[in-house]
Amino acid sequence: NRNFVIAGSSNSYGTVNVSGSGILNIGSGMLISEDSGGNGVFNQSGGTVNANGNVWLGGQSSSLSVSGGNFNMGGSTLFVGSGSPVSSNSTLSVSGTGTVSLGTMNVGAFSRNFSAITVNLGNGTVGGNLSISGMAYGGAGAGPVSFNFNGGTLHMRGSTSMVTTNTTAIVKSGGAIIDVNSGQTFTISNNLTTDGTGGGLTKNGTGTLTLSG
């Protein structure tokens, strides 16, 4: 179900901004950009969003940016770079005082054409929290996936591995901060590459972080 749709048709454009103490309760999931070529943007700088279902980032271009407030998905799945018959770009950005909490993050699911997928954690200063229980790669037709660690925290609530297919993990000036819950294991077999600014790696939480790249 996609109860809330931004840019719901080909060549359409739409932007939604949530700020201050605003509250947005979505009945059952959200689609940012329709598959055949929408261009949708969702910005949150404050307040609370309750998605109550899966969220898809698709279309020609789609962006979910949370710099403040709480974007809650419960145990639902976030599809970044979901199926599209057109070349597309999908971006998830979490920074500042923003928190995004969900179940599984699936990158490239159902992709039928080149899809460039970017996940930005932080903007150079410490801040932003992406809390997930699982991670998956679902797109045989997806393009490159970039994880940019730049001061935001990747909070792992379940045992899982970082996606590796077509995926680059880049540590920028803000550094990579990874928090693993007690009793859980997060495995990174990718190479953690640097952009030359030397942000480093910080491990938080009592769970296990395994680096095998």
Side-chain angles (χ1 to χ4, degrees), residues 80-113:
V80 185
S82 60
S84 177
V86 298
S87 296
S88 63
N89 292 278
S90 295
T91 302
L92 168 67
S93 300
V94 188
S95 63
T97 58
T99 295
V100 176
S101 180
L102 55 117
T104 297
M105 180 168 64
N106 189 309
V107 294
F110 319 120
S111 291
R112 302 184 296 279
N113 208 320

Side-chain angles (χ1 to χ4, degrees), residues 49-197:
V49 176
N50 297 308
N52 295 312
N54 296 337
V55 174
W56 287 263
L57 276 66
Q60 184 172 350
S61 67
S62 54
S63 172
L64 172 59
S65 178
V66 181
S67 60
N70 298 297
F71 189 97
N72 304 313
M73 293 178 55
S76 297
T77 299
L78 173 63
F79 295 94
V80 185
S82 60
S84 177
V86 298
S87 296
S88 63
N89 292 278
S90 295
T91 302
L92 168 67
S93 300
V94 188
S95 63
T97 58
T99 295
V100 176
S101 180
L102 55 117
T104 297
M105 180 168 64
N106 189 309
V107 294
F110 319 120
S111 291
R112 302 184 296 279
N113 208 320
F114 180 90
S115 300
I117 298 162
T118 304
V119 178
N120 296 315
L121 295 172
N123 58 7
T125 59
V126 175
N129 187 298
L130 175 61
S131 178
I132 66 177
S133 59
M135 192 179 295
Y137 181 85
V145 180
S146 298
F147 280 84
N148 296 312
F149 293 94
N150 199 14
T153 296
L154 178 60
H155 176 205
M156 303 304 305
R157 305 192 314 273
S159 293
T160 191
S161 297
M162 188 168 178
V163 295
T164 56
T165 306
N166 293 336
T167 300
T168 302
I170 303 170
V171 181
K172 298 191 171 186
S173 62
I177 305 172
I178 299 174
D179 186 350
V180 185
N181 275 12
S182 175
Q184 307 304 315
T185 299
F186 181 48
T187 301
I188 301 178
S189 56
N190 317 59
N191 291 323
L192 291 175
T193 59
T194 178
D195 66 351
T197 56

